[in-house]
Amino acid sequence: MEKPLWYRWARVYATGGVIILTGVLLFKYTTPTEEQLIASLSPELRSQYEKEKGLRRREQEELIKIVKQTAASNDPIWMTGPIKSPWDKDNKLENLKEKYEKELAEKKQLAELDRVRAELEEAQEKTRKQTDENMKKKHWFNWR
């Protein structure tokens, strides 16, 4: 005996729902989180990832600026925005990377200068104390 039409469609929807639900659950429980993914990297790749995290954040900010500029314009997408072809010599993201690396180098240099200044001040203070102690001990201003 042939099943009614509504029964066949109910089976189709139930089977489709089971397939989709299975896919969603598999995706949810088999895809690693970002922390798990980073933890599974080798130490060299992990250090490179941590080092370039700021650069990726800056690139994302630049991209958001470009998207906002493009969205505000009434021109077609291909006519607005400063994104150039990757084969062009003047690549904005390349310049951004150089600028970011330059900023990092300047920060490191300033930190090193601050450290050296602190050491210098400490050495000067130590020398002053030794000089004061020597002056008190010797009484050089007396004619004895």
Side-chain angles (χ1 to χ4, degrees):
M1 179 169 152
E2 194 173 311
K3 306 277 182 182
L5 186 60
W6 67 268
Y7 179 76
R8 285 184 275 170
W9 279 109
R11 260 184 42 192
V12 166
Y13 285 122
T15 305
V18 167
I19 291 171
I20 290 173
L21 182 63
T22 303
V24 168
L25 290 175
L26 282 173
F27 177 76
K28 181 176 180 174
Y29 291 109
T30 60
T31 304
T33 63
E34 187 173 341
E35 293 84 22
Q36 291 171 335
L37 191 60
I38 294 169
S40 67
L41 293 175
S42 68
E44 297 87 24
L45 287 176
R46 194 175 311 133
S47 65
Q48 181 182 1
Y49 171 82
E50 292 297 328
K51 188 173 85 174
E52 294 178 352
K53 188 184 282 187
L55 175 63
R56 285 191 304 278
R57 183 184 48 80
R58 296 279 297 270
E59 284 178 344
Q60 190 68 24
E61 290 172 0
E62 281 294 316
L63 187 60
I64 294 298
K65 282 186 206 172
I66 292 169
V67 168
K68 286 180 181 178
Q69 176 187 1
T70 303
S73 175
N74 289 331
D75 293 334
I77 290 176
W78 60 86
M79 294 180 72
T80 60
I83 294 180
K84 306 236 184 310
S85 170
W87 294 281
D88 287 345
K89 298 246 186 220
D90 186 31
N91 192 349
K92 186 167 186 153
L93 292 179
E94 197 67 32
N95 293 339
L96 179 65
K97 184 175 182 179
E98 291 173 6
K99 183 178 175 184
Y100 178 72
E101 289 174 352
K102 183 177 179 183
E103 285 179 11
L104 280 180
E106 288 175 355
K107 285 180 183 178
K108 285 180 182 178
Q109 189 176 24
L110 287 175
E112 182 68 19
L113 282 173
D114 289 341
R115 185 186 64 78
V116 169
R117 283 185 187 128
E119 286 180 6
L120 181 62
E121 288 174 6
E122 185 179 312
Q124 286 174 343
E125 185 64 31
K126 185 178 178 182
T127 304
R128 267 190 223 111
K129 286 181 182 178
Q130 287 178 349
T131 304
D132 290 342
E133 288 174 7
N134 289 339
M135 297 283 271
K136 288 178 184 176
K137 287 179 184 176
K138 291 185 178 181
H139 300 289
W140 65 275
F141 52 86
N142 291 337
W143 289 92
R144 294 185 194 179

